[in-house]
Amino acid sequence: MIRAFRLLSILLLFAVYDVHAQKSNTPLYSISGQVVNAETGEPVALASFVVNNTIGVVTDQKGAFKLDKLKGGPITYNVSFLGYSPVERKLVLSADIKDLRIALTPLSLGLEEVVVTAQPTGAGSTSKIGEEAIRHIQPMSIGDMFQLLPGNLSVNPNLNGVGQAAIREIGSNANNALGAAVIVDGAPLSNDGNLQALSPSLAGSASNQSQNGMSDQTTAGKGVDLRSVSPDNVESMEVIRGIPSVEYGNLTSGVVIVKTKTGSTPWEAKFKADPYSKMVYAGKGFTLKNGSAINAGIDWTQSFGDTRKRYLGYDRISATLGYSKSFDVAGRPMLLRLNGSFYSNVNNSKTDPQMQVTSSTFENKNIGARLNAEGSWKINGAALTALEYGFMVSQAYQSDRLHEYVASASGVISNTLKPGVYEGIFLPSSYYSDYEIEGKPLSVYLQVKANKIIQLGGGGGSFTNLRAGVDWRYDANYGGGLLYDINKPPQSISSQTLRPRSFRDIPALNNLAFFFEDRLNLKIGGTSLALQAGVRLTNMFLDPQAKQNDIFVAEPRVNLNYSLYEGPKAAVAVTGGWGLSYKMPTLLYLYPDNAYFDRVSLAKISNADPTSSLAVLTTDALTDLANPDLKPARSRKYEVGLSFRLGRVRG
């Protein structure tokens, strides 16, 4: 906490310096113009015009833009829009610039020279994977794209196993993947409400106790299943392996930021086939007459880990629909992006037809839909530069079913939920058992951010960006839980220890967070300094069933990039950072189910008179299994680095 207070003191000093600088009498200028298609000359609506990677606007229906209150000096502006090659140029701002015409060249799908590896961006360990690189490796899920990151292995894309995020590791680790935040269109995907487990108290996160592969398709207690996000309609993916901004929370391993297509794109069709997989995709983006854009895509993918065991394959169908439009609100542009997605695994019943009739059959269903709304309002006023917002609601249906032949030597069971001595129920010598774990996880996310950009001194290259925001997360599960016929229970390790349990009785998770951050850029002679520092405060509200008070964490984080030299043929910079990150416990661990232990005290079977048979069971029920000492996972990261560029060589 002492370090957090020191960091806040530094931020306050920056704020005081910013206010002093803002009061200077440096003249302000404006830039206005139009963005057009280089081939047809038609205006490009919804294109992004950004100065110095901070302040920017979005073009209107006529491709026009205007950005005012800019200090003079050398500046760099970037113009980009989906389906076009981005433009980056430099100029010296010494007067108002009007009628600036910027032509964007449409991207070609031809076999031109492209970069097919992840590219470093900004301060810290951050890499961005563009659309060209994604198309090159032909991924089946966004998990396959991790092979482009430094230190990862190249593998054949497949969907055979659960897709987990692998950041700074080779292979997969459940805890590492659980702590990796996956942000799609401005909102995090959540697996905190996943309860697809037979009995967390007795069997952990396993969905069954047989070695038949059923548990290999569930992600309870793990990270988000990346197979639910199709890569075919992804515009870009950015991976923060180091210390992320404080606007990202509930993580330990890193951040994966996925941006899907929402603008105009040409017709695109993909087909892939090899002995282990098949994939078909079609997508198109349209520009409407009112200046808005719609982008849609659909794909079907099939994968087999072993062609001899086709019943263990995986089939998926997914669809996305995006809409974007710029509005004029109080004379300022407001951008709105809506993204809807649907995913479902199909052919989800697994059985081996070559095995005996008594073989087991298991079924995994995972069907879900998401709706995202995100955007920004470029106010460019005296108090605020911009407001940004994001909203997401996600609903899924998860079902794990097992049909299994149970051979029992006339076992005895009980259906009581309280400890004591009870009359038991005789089981037949053999029977078929059917049980289902039904989950309906619901996730809601809301975030609002405000920022103020203040240009410092002369030259136009120094500025600070003060940011503050709040976000709220809600995770619940309204599924039926563990369902089965009490007279035909699932096979257990020894005696019957399970009881049906409804997920609706489990309290929901509520996380509320506030964050504050300053992004400072200073030109110091021929060098430049970029400092990002902030703190995130998060509170998890817990129900009394968790046997502990609410969980509160503070997460200070700092990133530094000092560019010693940057020229046309060479550059060198030093980087460093430090930060704390926390991953909050999930529903699976906060509210474990009760554990039951049945012991046979008497079992008398009369073949002559079945009515005189009697079984007596002594049941122990453990109902106070919540861990009052359960804490969030904490990650403390230190980083220091040196980056350079010499001609076409980067390191």
Side-chain angles (χ1 to χ4, degrees):
M1 293 302 297
I2 295 177
R3 293 177 178 176
F5 286 129
R6 289 177 179 173
L7 178 59
L8 288 176
S9 300
I10 294 174
L11 292 177
L12 289 176
L13 290 175
F14 284 149
V16 172
Y17 178 72
D18 295 340
V19 173
H20 176 74
Q22 187 182 20
K23 294 180 180 179
S24 63
N25 296 321
T26 304
L28 303 179
Y29 305 105
S30 65
I31 300 177
S32 60
Q34 185 185 33
V35 179
V36 298
N37 186 312
E39 297 181 354
T40 64
E42 297 179 351
V44 178
L46 303 178
S48 176
F49 180 87
V50 181
V51 173
N52 293 334
N53 292 322
T54 53
I55 186 171
V57 292
V58 177
T59 60
D60 60 16
Q61 184 176 350
K62 298 180 181 179
F65 66 90
K66 182 178 182 181
L67 193 59
D68 49 18
K69 297 182 180 180
L70 298 173
K71 289 190 176 183
I75 65 171
T76 301
Y77 67 84
N78 301 80
V79 185
S80 61
F81 186 63
L82 181 64
Y84 293 84
S85 297
V87 170
E88 178 177 319
R89 292 174 184 156
K90 297 181 179 181
L91 55 83
V92 177
L93 189 61
S94 57
D96 292 342
I97 297 179
K98 300 180 181 180
D99 302 325
L100 179 65
R101 186 179 176 87
I102 303 170
L104 296 182
T105 304
L107 287 174
S108 172
L109 296 180
L111 296 177
E112 301 175 356
E113 180 181 358
V114 295
V115 178
V116 293
T117 59
Q119 297 300 298
T121 62
S125 302
T126 303
S127 300
K128 187 172 183 179
I129 303 173
E131 187 178 0
E132 295 86 358
I134 296 173
R135 185 184 298 117
H136 172 75
I137 64 172
Q138 296 181 320
M140 292 187 175
S141 77
I142 61 174
D144 296 328
M145 293 151 60
F146 282 89
Q147 63 184 289
L148 296 177
L149 299 177
N152 282 57
L153 297 177
S154 296
V155 295
N156 290 325
N158 68 81
L159 299 174
N160 305 319
V162 169
Q164 296 285 273
I167 299 179
R168 282 184 168 165
E169 66 172 333
I170 296 177
S172 61
N173 177 278
N175 192 61
N176 189 306
L178 182 64
V182 181
I183 314 295
V184 178
D185 295 325
L189 303 184
S190 176
N191 203 43
D192 291 351
N194 191 330
L195 294 169
Q196 296 302 110
L198 185 63
S199 174
S201 303
L202 299 171
S205 60
S207 59
N208 77 314
Q209 296 173 343
S210 302
Q211 301 298 320
N212 55 13
M214 179 175 171
S215 294
D216 297 337
Q217 298 296 329
T218 59
T219 57
K222 304 178 184 178
V224 174
D225 191 349
L226 301 180
R227 296 178 299 180
S228 64
V229 182
S230 172
D232 296 309
N233 210 39
V234 170
E235 177 184 346
S236 64
M237 185 175 85
E238 184 176 2
V239 181
I240 303 175
R241 306 184 305 281
I243 302 160
S245 164
V246 294
E247 69 177 277
Y248 304 113
N250 201 29
L251 59 95
T252 56
S253 304
V255 184
V256 180
I257 304 173
V258 178
K259 183 179 179 182
T260 61
K261 301 175 183 178
T262 55
S264 175
T265 56
W267 276 106
E268 187 174 9
K270 302 178 184 178
F271 174 75
K272 173 185 176 181
D274 58 48
Y276 298 97
S277 62
K278 298 179 180 65
M279 184 269 291
V280 179
Y281 165 80
K284 175 73 172 78
F286 306 87
T287 300
L288 306 181
K289 293 183 178 180
N290 61 358
S292 61
I294 292 179
N295 196 290
I298 185 172
D299 82 339
W300 169 79
T301 306
Q302 182 182 69
S303 178
F304 298 106
D306 189 337
T307 55
R308 299 169 301 175
K309 300 178 181 179
R310 298 180 69 87
Y311 67 97
L312 292 178
Y314 183 88
D315 294 61
R316 179 200 67 204
I317 185 171
S318 64
T320 58
L321 180 64
Y323 174 82
S324 58
K325 181 174 174 56
S326 180
F327 301 90
D328 189 315
V329 179
R332 298 297 183 183
M334 173 179 283
L335 178 63
L336 171 66
R337 289 190 179 96
L338 296 175
N339 292 276
S341 62
F342 168 83
Y343 64 91
S344 174
N345 62 335
V346 294
N347 188 25
N348 41 48
S349 181
K350 313 298 182 182
T351 186
D352 189 349
Q354 297 180 351
M355 294 181 67
Q356 300 177 359
V357 179
T358 57
S359 66
S360 62
T361 300
F362 64 91
E363 183 179 52
N364 297 100
K365 286 184 179 180
N366 188 11
I367 305 171
R370 291 187 297 269
L371 176 63
N372 289 60
E374 63 166 339
S376 61
W377 186 24
K378 304 296 184 181
I379 301 174
N380 294 332
L384 288 177
T385 300
L387 280 174
E388 300 176 46
Y389 58 90
F391 172 78
M392 183 275 295
V393 58
S394 172
Q395 177 70 69
Y397 171 76
Q398 300 169 335
S399 175
D400 293 285
R401 298 181 181 180
L402 179 65
H403 173 75
E404 189 172 35
Y405 180 77
V406 178
S408 174
S410 298
V412 180
I413 63 168
S414 173
N415 59 2
T416 182
L417 299 178
K418 297 181 179 180
V421 180
Y422 301 93
E423 183 177 349
I425 302 172
F426 284 102
L427 291 176
S429 59
S430 62
Y431 61 93
Y432 280 97
S433 171
D434 293 273
Y435 77 83
E436 177 184 8
I437 306 174
E438 182 194 64
K440 297 178 181 178
L442 173 68
S443 178
V444 181
Y445 176 79
L446 177 64
Q447 184 184 70
V448 178
K449 297 179 290 185
N451 73 314
K452 173 59 181 175
I453 299 175
I454 305 173
Q455 299 187 52
L456 307 176
S462 299
F463 59 89
T464 187
N465 186 353
L466 299 173
R467 300 166 62 86
V470 57
D471 62 53
W472 170 68
R473 300 167 183 248
Y474 174 87
D475 289 279
N477 198 312
Y478 296 97
L482 179 59
L483 307 170
Y484 65 88
D485 183 356
I486 192 64
N487 294 314
K488 296 181 179 180
Q491 186 176 19
S492 185
I493 298 175
S494 55
S495 61
Q496 171 62 20
T497 60
L498 301 175
R499 300 291 189 272
R501 183 200 193 194
S502 175
F503 293 159
R504 302 183 186 95
D505 300 332
I506 300 176
L509 293 179
N510 284 277
N511 290 335
L512 183 64
F514 298 89
F515 54 89
F516 312 91
E517 186 176 70
D518 186 19
R519 300 180 180 181
L520 178 67
N521 287 264
L522 292 177
K523 295 291 185 179
I524 307 173
T527 66
S528 62
L529 173 70
L531 176 65
Q532 175 182 290
V535 62
R536 180 182 180 89
L537 308 174
T538 306
N539 191 83
M540 171 181 273
F541 300 90
L542 296 178
D543 187 89
Q545 294 184 35
K547 305 300 181 182
Q548 64 171 310
N549 298 324
D550 296 347
I551 298 177
F552 173 82
V553 296
E555 302 169 86
R557 301 173 195 164
V558 180
N559 273 304
L560 173 70
N561 186 306
Y562 186 45
S563 179
L564 302 174
Y565 174 78
E566 184 172 0
K569 296 184 178 181
V572 61
V574 293
T575 62
W578 173 86
L580 290 179
S581 299
Y582 289 87
K583 171 59 184 175
M584 294 295 190
T586 68
L587 280 180
L588 187 71
Y589 303 115
L590 281 169
Y591 305 102
D593 59 340
N594 300 332
Y596 301 90
F597 298 92
D598 301 322
R599 299 190 304 274
V600 179
S601 301
L602 172 65
K604 177 186 177 183
I605 301 177
S606 175
N607 295 326
D609 184 9
T611 59
S612 63
S613 300
L614 177 64
V616 178
L617 286 176
T618 300
T619 298
D620 291 327
L622 305 182
T623 59
D624 191 15
L625 297 179
N627 182 6
D629 298 321
L630 185 64
K631 303 298 180 184
R634 187 181 78 160
S635 172
R636 180 170 56 186
K637 290 187 178 181
Y638 300 88
E639 281 201 342
V640 61
L642 174 70
S643 62
F644 68 90
R645 172 174 52 85
L646 184 61
R648 301 185 63 179
V649 178
R650 295 176 179 266

PDB file of all heavy atoms in Angstrom, residues 1 6-7 28 76 85 106 121 182 209 229 279 396 402 417 435 443 466 488 555 597 631:
ATOM      1  N   MET A   1       0.819  -1.201   0.000  1.00  0.00           N
ATOM      2  CA  MET A   1       0.000   0.000   0.000  1.00  0.00           C
ATOM      3  C   MET A   1       0.865   1.267   0.000  1.00  0.00           C
ATOM      4  O   MET A   1       0.494   2.293  -0.549  1.00  0.00           O
ATOM      5  CB  MET A   1      -0.930  -0.001   1.220  1.00  0.00           C
ATOM      6  CG  MET A   1      -1.991  -1.085   1.171  1.00  0.00           C
ATOM      7  SD  MET A   1      -3.028  -0.929  -0.318  1.00  0.00           S
ATOM      8  CE  MET A   1      -3.763   0.656  -0.040  1.00  0.00           C
ATOM      9  N   ARG A   6       2.756   6.186  -2.909  1.00  0.00           N
ATOM     10  CA  ARG A   6       3.822   6.887  -3.618  1.00  0.00           C
ATOM     11  C   ARG A   6       3.452   7.124  -5.077  1.00  0.00           C
ATOM     12  O   ARG A   6       3.700   8.194  -5.640  1.00  0.00           O
ATOM     13  CB  ARG A   6       5.113   6.071  -3.536  1.00  0.00           C
ATOM     14  CG  ARG A   6       5.739   6.055  -2.145  1.00  0.00           C
ATOM     15  CD  ARG A   6       6.967   5.162  -2.133  1.00  0.00           C
ATOM     16  NE  ARG A   6       7.594   5.143  -0.803  1.00  0.00           N
ATOM     17  CZ  ARG A   6       8.604   4.344  -0.481  1.00  0.00           C
ATOM     18  NH1 ARG A   6       9.111   3.514  -1.388  1.00  0.00           N
ATOM     19  NH2 ARG A   6       9.106   4.371   0.737  1.00  0.00           N
ATOM     20  N   LEU A   7       2.841   6.103  -5.675  1.00  0.00           N
ATOM     21  CA  LEU A   7       2.432   6.231  -7.068  1.00  0.00           C
ATOM     22  C   LEU A   7       1.375   7.310  -7.230  1.00  0.00           C
ATOM     23  O   LEU A   7       1.412   8.120  -8.162  1.00  0.00           O
ATOM     24  CB  LEU A   7       1.908   4.885  -7.571  1.00  0.00           C
ATOM     25  CG  LEU A   7       1.387   4.849  -9.004  1.00  0.00           C
ATOM     26  CD1 LEU A   7       2.493   5.264  -9.966  1.00  0.00           C
ATOM     27  CD2 LEU A   7       0.896   3.450  -9.345  1.00  0.00           C
ATOM     28  N   LEU A  28      -3.402  27.918 -30.402  1.00  0.00           N
ATOM     29  CA  LEU A  28      -3.999  26.640 -30.766  1.00  0.00           C
ATOM     30  C   LEU A  28      -4.441  26.682 -32.222  1.00  0.00           C
ATOM     31  O   LEU A  28      -4.884  27.724 -32.729  1.00  0.00           O
ATOM     32  CB  LEU A  28      -5.191  26.331 -29.854  1.00  0.00           C
ATOM     33  CG  LEU A  28      -4.901  26.289 -28.353  1.00  0.00           C
ATOM     34  CD1 LEU A  28      -6.175  26.008 -27.577  1.00  0.00           C
ATOM     35  CD2 LEU A  28      -3.851  25.239 -28.040  1.00  0.00           C
ATOM     36  N   THR A  76       2.380  13.935 -35.666  1.00  0.00           N
ATOM     37  CA  THR A  76       2.208  12.735 -36.493  1.00  0.00           C
ATOM     38  C   THR A  76       0.741  12.341 -36.463  1.00  0.00           C
ATOM     39  O   THR A  76       0.147  12.225 -35.383  1.00  0.00           O
ATOM     40  CB  THR A  76       3.062  11.574 -35.961  1.00  0.00           C
ATOM     41  OG1 THR A  76       4.435  11.953 -35.950  1.00  0.00           O
ATOM     42  CG2 THR A  76       2.889  10.340 -36.833  1.00  0.00           C
ATOM     43  N   SER A  85      -5.390   0.191 -46.371  1.00  0.00           N
ATOM     44  CA  SER A  85      -4.054   0.301 -45.810  1.00  0.00           C
ATOM     45  C   SER A  85      -3.973   1.580 -44.983  1.00  0.00           C
ATOM     46  O   SER A  85      -4.347   2.655 -45.465  1.00  0.00           O
ATOM     47  CB  SER A  85      -3.000   0.333 -46.924  1.00  0.00           C
ATOM     48  OG  SER A  85      -3.008  -0.864 -47.666  1.00  0.00           O
ATOM     49  N   PRO A 106      -7.447   0.664 -50.861  1.00  0.00           N
ATOM     50  CA  PRO A 106      -8.084  -0.588 -50.423  1.00  0.00           C
ATOM     51  C   PRO A 106      -7.071  -1.727 -50.362  1.00  0.00           C
ATOM     52  O   PRO A 106      -6.166  -1.825 -51.197  1.00  0.00           O
ATOM     53  CB  PRO A 106      -9.151  -0.841 -51.491  1.00  0.00           C
ATOM     54  CG  PRO A 106      -9.402   0.492 -52.118  1.00  0.00           C
ATOM     55  CD  PRO A 106      -8.092   1.217 -52.067  1.00  0.00           C
ATOM     56  N   THR A 121       4.567  -3.405 -30.073  1.00  0.00           N
ATOM     57  CA  THR A 121       3.903  -2.102 -30.070  1.00  0.00           C
ATOM     58  C   THR A 121       4.147  -1.433 -28.725  1.00  0.00           C
ATOM     59  O   THR A 121       4.013  -2.060 -27.679  1.00  0.00           O
ATOM     60  CB  THR A 121       2.391  -2.227 -30.290  1.00  0.00           C
ATOM     61  OG1 THR A 121       1.828  -2.983 -29.213  1.00  0.00           O
ATOM     62  CG2 THR A 121       2.076  -2.916 -31.595  1.00  0.00           C
ATOM     63  N   VAL A 182      -9.315 -12.074 -21.638  1.00  0.00           N
ATOM     64  CA  VAL A 182      -9.589 -12.064 -23.078  1.00  0.00           C
ATOM     65  C   VAL A 182     -10.646 -10.993 -23.335  1.00  0.00           C
ATOM     66  O   VAL A 182     -11.801 -11.131 -22.908  1.00  0.00           O
ATOM     67  CB  VAL A 182     -10.074 -13.441 -23.565  1.00  0.00           C
ATOM     68  CG1 VAL A 182     -10.326 -13.409 -25.073  1.00  0.00           C
ATOM     69  CG2 VAL A 182      -9.058 -14.523 -23.212  1.00  0.00           C
ATOM     70  N   GLN A 209     -16.221 -39.033 -13.397  1.00  0.00           N
ATOM     71  CA  GLN A 209     -15.155 -39.788 -12.739  1.00  0.00           C
ATOM     72  C   GLN A 209     -14.649 -40.932 -13.600  1.00  0.00           C
ATOM     73  O   GLN A 209     -13.903 -41.784 -13.125  1.00  0.00           O
ATOM     74  CB  GLN A 209     -15.662 -40.329 -11.398  1.00  0.00           C
ATOM     75  CG  GLN A 209     -16.008 -39.209 -10.423  1.00  0.00           C
ATOM     76  CD  GLN A 209     -16.657 -39.718  -9.157  1.00  0.00           C
ATOM     77  OE1 GLN A 209     -17.138 -40.840  -9.109  1.00  0.00           O
ATOM     78  NE2 GLN A 209     -16.679 -38.894  -8.126  1.00  0.00           N
ATOM     79  N   VAL A 229     -14.555 -18.342 -29.977  1.00  0.00           N
ATOM     80  CA  VAL A 229     -14.333 -17.125 -30.769  1.00  0.00           C
ATOM     81  C   VAL A 229     -13.713 -17.523 -32.100  1.00  0.00           C
ATOM     82  O   VAL A 229     -12.582 -18.005 -32.152  1.00  0.00           O
ATOM     83  CB  VAL A 229     -13.418 -16.139 -30.020  1.00  0.00           C
ATOM     84  CG1 VAL A 229     -13.239 -14.865 -30.852  1.00  0.00           C
ATOM     85  CG2 VAL A 229     -13.981 -15.812 -28.655  1.00  0.00           C
ATOM     86  N   MET A 279     -12.743 -26.628 -42.834  1.00  0.00           N
ATOM     87  CA  MET A 279     -13.240 -25.325 -42.453  1.00  0.00           C
ATOM     88  C   MET A 279     -13.824 -24.616 -43.662  1.00  0.00           C
ATOM     89  O   MET A 279     -13.240 -24.635 -44.748  1.00  0.00           O
ATOM     90  CB  MET A 279     -12.121 -24.482 -41.839  1.00  0.00           C
ATOM     91  CG  MET A 279     -12.554 -23.117 -41.314  1.00  0.00           C
ATOM     92  SD  MET A 279     -12.414 -21.803 -42.560  1.00  0.00           S
ATOM     93  CE  MET A 279     -10.634 -21.673 -42.710  1.00  0.00           C
ATOM     94  N   ALA A 396     -25.020 -18.275 -22.025  1.00  0.00           N
ATOM     95  CA  ALA A 396     -24.602 -19.558 -22.582  1.00  0.00           C
ATOM     96  C   ALA A 396     -25.456 -20.673 -22.011  1.00  0.00           C
ATOM     97  O   ALA A 396     -26.045 -20.549 -20.925  1.00  0.00           O
ATOM     98  CB  ALA A 396     -23.128 -19.821 -22.296  1.00  0.00           C
ATOM     99  N   LEU A 402     -24.026 -37.911 -19.307  1.00  0.00           N
ATOM    100  CA  LEU A 402     -23.350 -39.206 -19.337  1.00  0.00           C
ATOM    101  C   LEU A 402     -24.378 -40.325 -19.216  1.00  0.00           C
ATOM    102  O   LEU A 402     -25.206 -40.336 -18.299  1.00  0.00           O
ATOM    103  CB  LEU A 402     -22.334 -39.321 -18.201  1.00  0.00           C
ATOM    104  CG  LEU A 402     -21.579 -40.650 -18.122  1.00  0.00           C
ATOM    105  CD1 LEU A 402     -20.694 -40.833 -19.354  1.00  0.00           C
ATOM    106  CD2 LEU A 402     -20.744 -40.728 -16.858  1.00  0.00           C
ATOM    107  N   LEU A 417     -30.601 -35.416   2.759  1.00  0.00           N
ATOM    108  CA  LEU A 417     -29.708 -34.259   2.715  1.00  0.00           C
ATOM    109  C   LEU A 417     -29.251 -33.840   4.111  1.00  0.00           C
ATOM    110  O   LEU A 417     -28.547 -32.843   4.251  1.00  0.00           O
ATOM    111  CB  LEU A 417     -30.410 -33.078   2.036  1.00  0.00           C
ATOM    112  CG  LEU A 417     -30.859 -33.284   0.582  1.00  0.00           C
ATOM    113  CD1 LEU A 417     -31.572 -32.050   0.064  1.00  0.00           C
ATOM    114  CD2 LEU A 417     -29.686 -33.640  -0.306  1.00  0.00           C
ATOM    115  N   TYR A 435     -26.998 -38.999 -16.030  1.00  0.00           N
ATOM    116  CA  TYR A 435     -27.007 -37.750 -15.276  1.00  0.00           C
ATOM    117  C   TYR A 435     -26.617 -36.612 -16.201  1.00  0.00           C
ATOM    118  O   TYR A 435     -25.984 -36.810 -17.246  1.00  0.00           O
ATOM    119  CB  TYR A 435     -26.089 -37.818 -14.053  1.00  0.00           C
ATOM    120  CG  TYR A 435     -24.612 -37.691 -14.316  1.00  0.00           C
ATOM    121  CD1 TYR A 435     -23.998 -36.447 -14.470  1.00  0.00           C
ATOM    122  CD2 TYR A 435     -23.799 -38.820 -14.380  1.00  0.00           C
ATOM    123  CE1 TYR A 435     -22.642 -36.325 -14.688  1.00  0.00           C
ATOM    124  CE2 TYR A 435     -22.432 -38.705 -14.593  1.00  0.00           C
ATOM    125  CZ  TYR A 435     -21.862 -37.452 -14.743  1.00  0.00           C
ATOM    126  OH  TYR A 435     -20.514 -37.340 -14.957  1.00  0.00           O
ATOM    127  N   SER A 443     -23.338 -13.444 -17.972  1.00  0.00           N
ATOM    128  CA  SER A 443     -22.291 -12.473 -17.658  1.00  0.00           C
ATOM    129  C   SER A 443     -22.696 -11.111 -18.209  1.00  0.00           C
ATOM    130  O   SER A 443     -23.138 -11.003 -19.354  1.00  0.00           O
ATOM    131  CB  SER A 443     -20.951 -12.916 -18.259  1.00  0.00           C
ATOM    132  OG  SER A 443     -19.935 -11.969 -17.993  1.00  0.00           O
ATOM    133  N   LEU A 466      -4.833  12.155 -19.004  1.00  0.00           N
ATOM    134  CA  LEU A 466      -5.395  11.743 -17.724  1.00  0.00           C
ATOM    135  C   LEU A 466      -6.642  10.914 -17.978  1.00  0.00           C
ATOM    136  O   LEU A 466      -7.548  11.341 -18.707  1.00  0.00           O
ATOM    137  CB  LEU A 466      -5.736  12.970 -16.873  1.00  0.00           C
ATOM    138  CG  LEU A 466      -4.557  13.888 -16.510  1.00  0.00           C
ATOM    139  CD1 LEU A 466      -5.060  15.150 -15.823  1.00  0.00           C
ATOM    140  CD2 LEU A 466      -3.574  13.156 -15.622  1.00  0.00           C
ATOM    141  N   LYS A 488     -31.219 -44.282  -9.607  1.00  0.00           N
ATOM    142  CA  LYS A 488     -30.185 -44.771 -10.526  1.00  0.00           C
ATOM    143  C   LYS A 488     -29.044 -43.759 -10.552  1.00  0.00           C
ATOM    144  O   LYS A 488     -28.809 -43.074 -11.541  1.00  0.00           O
ATOM    145  CB  LYS A 488     -30.761 -44.974 -11.930  1.00  0.00           C
ATOM    146  CG  LYS A 488     -31.836 -46.057 -12.003  1.00  0.00           C
ATOM    147  CD  LYS A 488     -32.347 -46.219 -13.424  1.00  0.00           C
ATOM    148  CE  LYS A 488     -33.409 -47.313 -13.512  1.00  0.00           C
ATOM    149  NZ  LYS A 488     -33.907 -47.477 -14.895  1.00  0.00           N
ATOM    150  N   GLU A 555      -4.321  -2.274  -7.139  1.00  0.00           N
ATOM    151  CA  GLU A 555      -3.376  -2.726  -8.158  1.00  0.00           C
ATOM    152  C   GLU A 555      -2.664  -1.535  -8.787  1.00  0.00           C
ATOM    153  O   GLU A 555      -3.128  -0.998  -9.789  1.00  0.00           O
ATOM    154  CB  GLU A 555      -4.105  -3.536  -9.233  1.00  0.00           C
ATOM    155  CG  GLU A 555      -4.850  -4.742  -8.696  1.00  0.00           C
ATOM    156  CD  GLU A 555      -5.766  -5.361  -9.730  1.00  0.00           C
ATOM    157  OE1 GLU A 555      -5.296  -6.205 -10.514  1.00  0.00           O
ATOM    158  OE2 GLU A 555      -6.962  -4.993  -9.760  1.00  0.00           O
ATOM    159  N   PHE A 597     -21.390 -38.544   2.912  1.00  0.00           N
ATOM    160  CA  PHE A 597     -20.716 -39.835   3.064  1.00  0.00           C
ATOM    161  C   PHE A 597     -21.703 -40.812   3.699  1.00  0.00           C
ATOM    162  O   PHE A 597     -22.136 -40.618   4.845  1.00  0.00           O
ATOM    163  CB  PHE A 597     -19.455 -39.698   3.926  1.00  0.00           C
ATOM    164  CG  PHE A 597     -18.422 -38.779   3.333  1.00  0.00           C
ATOM    165  CD1 PHE A 597     -18.397 -37.433   3.660  1.00  0.00           C
ATOM    166  CD2 PHE A 597     -17.498 -39.265   2.425  1.00  0.00           C
ATOM    167  CE1 PHE A 597     -17.459 -36.586   3.103  1.00  0.00           C
ATOM    168  CE2 PHE A 597     -16.550 -38.425   1.867  1.00  0.00           C
ATOM    169  CZ  PHE A 597     -16.532 -37.092   2.199  1.00  0.00           C
ATOM    170  N   LYS A 631      -8.271 -16.457  -0.994  1.00  0.00           N
ATOM    171  CA  LYS A 631      -7.824 -15.144  -1.443  1.00  0.00           C
ATOM    172  C   LYS A 631      -7.678 -15.134  -2.959  1.00  0.00           C
ATOM    173  O   LYS A 631      -7.544 -16.182  -3.594  1.00  0.00           O
ATOM    174  CB  LYS A 631      -6.483 -14.785  -0.809  1.00  0.00           C
ATOM    175  CG  LYS A 631      -6.475 -14.812   0.717  1.00  0.00           C
ATOM    176  CD  LYS A 631      -7.443 -13.801   1.310  1.00  0.00           C
ATOM    177  CE  LYS A 631      -7.412 -13.847   2.832  1.00  0.00           C
ATOM    178  NZ  LYS A 631      -8.430 -12.937   3.429  1.00  0.00           N
TER     179      LYS A 631
END
